[in-house]
Amino acid sequence: MKYQVLQLPVEDDLCFRGWDDVQKYCPNSKDLLKRYKLVYEGELGDDYVVMPANKILEDLFRILNIDHPTDYRARSLSMSDTVALCDASGTPTSYWFCDSWGWAEIK
């Protein structure tokens, strides 16, 4: 299972804000996603393909904060960062916003 990590530049007014604030200032998801920079592309084992999104995201949060991949150079996963879950070709199928507690799907 492939994934992407997208982060807002620290200069962006929405960086490190919660989902409610972000939706208030940027309600259009396409406009919101344009503000992000792709900072990492990774891959998890095949067993993740059948797992629910919340389990995958919990594991990614741990991996990207505690057990960084050796080639990971971005900041630790933080509030306002987004994870794209991708298909086998690497094309995003869903985007998930890291909130102060849990995840919100960006639709």
Side-chain angles (χ1 to χ4, degrees):
M1 158 155 245
K2 296 182 180 188
Y3 67 93
Q4 299 173 348
V5 177
L6 301 98
Q7 294 180 329
L8 293 166
V10 293
E11 302 82 22
D12 192 298
D13 292 342
L14 299 180
C15 190
F16 304 120
R17 289 187 179 243
W19 181 237
D20 290 340
D21 282 346
V22 168
Q23 282 191 301
K24 193 181 318 175
Y25 295 106
C26 192
N28 183 305
S29 61
K30 289 181 182 178
D31 290 340
L32 174 62
L33 289 171
K34 288 178 187 175
R35 298 171 81 141
Y36 281 86
K37 305 292 182 219
L38 176 65
V39 297
Y40 186 72
E41 294 180 290
E43 193 163 354
L44 297 168
D46 290 338
D47 52 328
Y48 280 91
V49 173
V50 297
M51 287 186 185
N54 65 329
K55 173 63 175 145
I56 297 167
L57 295 164
E58 286 175 19
D59 284 2
L60 282 173
F61 189 85
R62 178 188 46 77
I63 291 165
L64 297 170
N65 280 290
I66 298 170
D67 301 322
H68 291 119
T70 56
D71 60 340
Y72 187 76
R73 301 288 179 260
R75 65 178 179 256
S76 292
L77 204 61
S78 303
M79 187 166 58
S80 82
D81 293 343
T82 293
V83 170
L85 301 180
C86 304
D87 62 20
S89 70
T91 302
T93 57
S94 62
Y95 292 91
W96 296 86
F97 181 94
C98 184
D99 205 358
S100 58
W101 186 259
W103 298 85
E105 186 171 11
I106 301 173
K107 296 182 180 186

